[in-house]
Amino acid sequence: MNDREPAGWPWLKERLARLRQSSRTAGAAQEVVTAAVVRTAVVTDSAAALPADWVMDFAADGRLTVVPMPVMVGPEIYGEGEDDITETIAVALATGTPVKTSRPSPGQFEQAYLAAQRRGFEAVVSVHISGALSGTADSARLAASRVGIPVEVVDSKTVGMALGMGVQSAVVAAADGRAAPEVRAFAEERLARTRVYFYLPSLEQLRRGGRIGAAASLWGTMFAIKPILAVDDGKIVPLEKVRSASRAVARLEEIVVADAAARPPGQARLAVHHFGNPGEAAELAERLAASLPDVPPAQISSLPAVLAAHAGLGVLAVIVGESSTPQKEPALAQ
């Protein structure tokens, strides 16, 4: 059940396949003709938690680039997507080895933007992890100031597949031949409709990473509180305080069901993240599917390393968003 493809994305795959076919039959270089149809490239960072297969489908011709975020385990530096570091982080957290994260360098973004320019794209929309949690968007802005291709940098004000859903929305708009301002607007509109709810067995890793205050962590430890948290305006905020782990997970489920059920008919989409507890995530996803029969099954995936390093083992996160697939397929851009 891991990394299940989001519902509705076969539409986008079929559309891009036809765009590529049009490029081949035009008798010109595929890269240049494709860019004439799809004018805007999309760049993001690995905190978007996009499924690997999905990224491969849309990154081959430069439409989508995912810049890896570095994770430091002890003295070693790893790159998300470049190294299989999930087990390394899990062992480090269990043994008390320091785990830290950092933003990508401006040079990494500059390379991504220049690659899009070389492929013939007219502009880039660069969508990134919340600026309140990382300086990644600042690195992207600095890189944007160094290149000739226009770059629209978006602070998503969120994380995980909530960010990923915004990125997927940007790819949809770009595939429809929209200019960069329209791609950005569509992504921002979808990001504004996306919510992140999560439960942590311990607040200690968030405290170590500076994402919550020491007092909050101590309070949770002393009183055995199991908090349900959310991301609000880019920041991690407490949502509810629960006395037991089982009740916290049950309450998380109730909150998600209420949110998804309140969405427009047929529009709600779910994603479930975990770290070190895939069985628990699968069970939660099954219960959500039973409670929300009209909502496509949740995509289930491990947290990306850059988020797992701060959340710690045992996290359960649920993202509630809305479909980015158009209700009626627009005509292919010429």
Side-chain angles (χ1 to χ4, degrees), residues 45-84:
D45 54 72
S46 55
L50 290 165
D53 290 347
W54 198 94
V55 172
M56 289 177 63
D57 284 335
F58 304 121
D61 48 17
R63 306 169 194 277
L64 173 65
T65 300
V66 179
V67 175
M69 297 183 69
V71 178
M72 290 155 281
V73 180
E76 300 295 328
I77 299 177
Y78 299 84
E80 183 94 53
E82 298 175 343
D83 310 285
D84 183 10

Side-chain angles (χ1 to χ4, degrees), residues 17-96:
R18 281 190 284 149
L19 287 173
R20 294 182 182 116
Q21 181 63 34
S22 297
S23 297
R24 287 192 291 269
T25 57
Q30 182 177 350
E31 290 180 347
V32 176
V33 176
T34 299
V37 178
V38 182
R39 297 172 290 173
T40 305
V42 178
V43 173
T44 189
D45 54 72
S46 55
L50 290 165
D53 290 347
W54 198 94
V55 172
M56 289 177 63
D57 284 335
F58 304 121
D61 48 17
R63 306 169 194 277
L64 173 65
T65 300
V66 179
V67 175
M69 297 183 69
V71 178
M72 290 155 281
V73 180
E76 300 295 328
I77 299 177
Y78 299 84
E80 183 94 53
E82 298 175 343
D83 310 285
D84 183 10
I85 60 173
T86 301
E87 184 176 346
T88 300
I89 292 177
V91 172
L93 293 176
T95 58

